[in-house]
Amino acid sequence: MLIKSIKLSRNSAVFGVVMAALVLVGVLLLAGAAGKRGGALSGGSEEARAEFLQRYGWQAETPALSEESVIIPREFSDVMEQYNDLQLSQGFDLRDYAGTELTVYSYRIEGFDGEEEVIASLYVSGGRIVGGDVHSTALDGFMVGVTTGKAA
């Protein structure tokens, strides 16, 4: 059996502990950024998107009504800022995707009496849901975040 002892000065030990703490903070920050970008919010399949909506109480008709490519503007207008505020309230941030092409999947939502039509729109990048809303097509309709839960 081989035993080796190491003698560390107090400064070396403190330096080692500080470096380990910095590495741990860096890992936690990277993990948080991945979560912010929809880390566990899979949207790569029709089934995954429908399950995501179901998780928040929305019953989506499948298949999707539409699948469109959109480019998030690099410069946000006032309207886009307001829309992004809705995204921020549910843990998304479309600023992270400024200038990026995203796919928007739109689903008809069932179970709304008195509304013309209710649509859920999900923004997907790299198979991950990165934003979305649920809105009425009525002139005096509503718009809420997907994660808000069923509004009616």
Side-chain angles (χ1 to χ4, degrees), residues 20-70:
L22 287 174
V23 168
L24 179 61
V25 167
V27 167
L28 292 174
L29 288 174
L30 285 174
K36 186 177 184 180
R37 287 186 164 249
L41 305 175
S42 176
S45 70
E46 186 90 63
E47 181 180 79
R49 292 185 296 273
E51 286 176 10
F52 175 79
L53 291 167
Q54 179 73 39
R55 186 180 332 161
Y56 295 102
W58 308 106
Q59 185 62 43
E61 290 181 12
T62 54
L65 290 172
S66 67
E67 175 183 336
E68 300 177 66
S69 293
V70 298

Side-chain angles (χ1 to χ4, degrees), residues 26-107:
V27 167
L28 292 174
L29 288 174
L30 285 174
K36 186 177 184 180
R37 287 186 164 249
L41 305 175
S42 176
S45 70
E46 186 90 63
E47 181 180 79
R49 292 185 296 273
E51 286 176 10
F52 175 79
L53 291 167
Q54 179 73 39
R55 186 180 332 161
Y56 295 102
W58 308 106
Q59 185 62 43
E61 290 181 12
T62 54
L65 290 172
S66 67
E67 175 183 336
E68 300 177 66
S69 293
V70 298
I71 297 176
I72 302 300
R74 290 189 189 280
E75 301 285 327
F76 279 25
S77 66
D78 289 343
V79 171
M80 191 64 188
E81 287 287 356
Q82 290 174 358
Y83 187 70
N84 199 49
D85 287 344
L86 174 67
Q87 301 308 310
L88 290 168
S89 74
Q90 52 187 350
F92 300 122
D93 188 354
L94 292 178
R95 284 200 172 280
D96 292 342
Y97 300 93
T100 303
E101 185 175 326
L102 302 179
T103 304
V104 180
Y105 296 91
S106 296
Y107 293 91

Side-chain angles (χ1 to χ4, degrees), residues 7-31:
K7 184 175 181 182
L8 292 175
S9 69
R10 181 172 186 195
N11 288 344
S12 295
V14 168
F15 178 77
V17 169
V18 168
M19 291 306 293
L22 287 174
V23 168
L24 179 61
V25 167
V27 167
L28 292 174
L29 288 174
L30 285 174

